[in-house]
Amino acid sequence: MRTVRQAPVWSLRQLLYFVTVAETGTITGAAELLVISPSSVAAAVEKLEHALGVQLCVRRKAHGITLTAAGQDLLGRARALLEEAEEVAEVGGGVGQAVGGNLTLGCYHTLAPTCLPPLLSTFAREHPRVRTTFTEADQDSLQDGLDRGELDVAVLYDMQVRAGTASLELFRTRPHVLLPAGHPLAGVAAVRLRDLAAEPFVLLDSPPSSQDAFSVFRQAGIEPQVRFRAGGLETVRALVGRGLGWSMLIQRPWSDRTYEGREVLVREIADPVPEVRVLLAWSRRTPPTRAARAFARTAPTVFTTTSTSTSTSHAAVDDDEGEHRVR
């Protein structure tokens, strides 16, 4: 016997008001954004709480609202439902199967300069009705965003990925050594890490990249002499370009020149070094929106894994202006 589905006891309008309150942090702020009275917003949230039988937020006078654990759990689901409702409305308006709605994309900050441009341009070309925004952050912040439903998908490294995260592989790459021009090992195609162990090292101090670097060093049986710690990829490259040390990086910009125009030398690592997978990830806790599913179909097609004569994996990217490489 077929089961008859029951209509929910809450409304999409109540979900919209709740999400707006959560995003603005205050009842008043939500009311201003929705162009309705604060009392109407407060009443809708209270009715939603009553319908669900849980407290979603704590109201503190002069301090706005704070979501409870139940509120945090509902927020991502509510956003996904509102996205789906918007897509249903677009179909009803005659758009047919065109994908619309919003997509919030996160990207690990050192991957962003080389991965985001081809991803965003290709996806915009294939799905022009989707409104895409992005944020750059570290690995933990990206996974927090996925868990809270603030991000639909995120591009990150396959390092310390949390349980409850779904993913697909975009491409693979390998760490490389970065040397200043004129370094004594400049003529060597593949450098042994122990040959650099006594020299000053410039660390990209951004988890999980930093932990991965030290894991490689432990496998090679060396302890790097850390002279500087930098939070940004280009800062590391600039310090190496100035001759202040050597470094080991995963991402390689197209140009081997620093912002100052100084040359840096990229050399392969002779020691056994594992490949690093770059993933597109999303939370299993929140059903992906139609836009997120479309992005997951597009993203792998942007990157094509190839190999060079030195066995370094690169991600080839086809763009409007010809072929570029995310290395």
Side-chain angles (χ1 to χ4, degrees):
M1 183 176 179
R2 180 177 296 177
T3 301
V4 178
R5 292 187 176 89
Q6 300 295 318
V9 293
W10 41 263
S11 69
L12 287 174
R13 186 179 298 276
Q14 290 168 351
L15 287 182
L16 173 62
Y17 289 6
F18 164 70
V19 170
T20 308
V21 168
E23 291 177 343
T24 60
T26 65
I27 296 289
T28 302
E32 291 176 352
L33 195 61
L34 294 165
V35 197
I36 58 174
S37 67
S39 60
S40 296
V41 175
V45 174
E46 289 173 3
K47 288 179 181 178
L48 180 61
E49 290 177 322
H50 179 73
L52 297 176
V54 293
Q55 184 177 5
L56 299 174
C57 52
V58 178
R59 301 158 182 81
R60 293 188 174 89
K61 190 175 182 179
H63 293 285
I65 66 101
T66 302
L67 294 186
T68 63
Q72 288 283 3
D73 184 62
L74 176 63
L75 182 58
R77 300 172 186 270
R79 285 188 174 121
L81 281 170
L82 292 171
E83 291 280 357
E84 291 287 349
E86 184 176 345
E87 290 165 5
V88 169
E90 288 181 345
V91 171
V95 178
Q97 295 300 311
V99 178
N102 300 310
L103 178 76
T104 305
L105 168 66
C107 190
Y108 187 69
H109 57 87
T110 61
L111 287 167
T114 49
C115 289
L116 279 183
L119 281 170
L120 293 173
S121 62
T122 303
F123 188 65
R125 187 165 59 246
E126 294 183 359
H127 300 286
R129 295 186 61 83
V130 178
R131 296 177 293 276
T132 305
T133 57
F134 69 86
T135 184
E136 303 170 57
D138 58 56
Q139 193 99 338
D140 285 340
S141 297
L142 292 175
Q143 295 191 83
D144 288 343
L146 292 175
D147 290 342
R148 292 193 295 260
E150 296 170 357
L151 298 174
D152 295 310
V153 289
V155 178
L156 42 74
Y157 285 118
D158 186 14
M159 301 176 187
Q160 302 174 16
V161 177
R162 299 173 187 171
T165 301
S167 65
L168 58 86
E169 181 180 311
L170 296 180
F171 63 91
R172 298 186 182 192
T173 186
R174 293 179 71 243
H176 60 268
V177 162
L178 198 67
L179 302 173
H183 191 277
L185 296 177
V188 179
V191 177
R192 295 177 301 180
L193 294 176
R194 65 174 176 269
D195 292 338
L196 294 167
E199 299 184 21
F201 179 70
V202 181
L203 174 68
L204 176 59
D205 196 9
S206 178
S209 295
S210 48
Q211 288 96 324
D212 183 66
F214 283 108
S215 175
V216 171
F217 293 143
R218 283 193 298 272
Q219 292 180 8
I222 70 167
E223 183 174 348
Q225 306 302 306
V226 179
R227 181 179 183 185
F228 295 110
R229 296 172 180 265
L233 178 72
E234 288 302 329
T235 304
V236 171
R237 285 162 44 84
L239 293 174
V240 172
R242 281 279 181 172
L244 297 175
W246 67 281
S247 190
M248 185 176 69
L249 300 173
I250 299 176
Q251 280 299 103
R252 179 183 174 186
W254 182 253
S255 172
D256 290 336
R257 296 274 176 177
T258 69
Y259 282 171
E260 293 183 302
R262 295 175 182 269
E263 184 182 9
V264 288
L265 307 177
V266 174
R267 295 294 180 265
E268 301 305 319
I269 299 173
D271 308 78
V273 179
E275 289 186 321
V276 179
R277 299 170 70 225
V278 176
L279 308 176
L280 180 70
W282 60 94
S283 174
R284 296 185 187 276
R285 297 175 56 193
T286 305
T289 65
R290 192 173 172 213
R293 294 195 298 271
F295 191 85
R297 290 191 297 269
T298 296
T301 68
V302 174
F303 304 103
T304 304
T305 302
T306 61
S307 297
T308 67
S309 58
T310 56
S311 300
T312 301
S313 295
H314 300 285
V317 180
D318 292 325
D319 196 50
D320 292 334
E321 298 177 359
E323 185 184 83
H324 301 276
R325 290 189 184 276
V326 179
R327 299 183 286 181

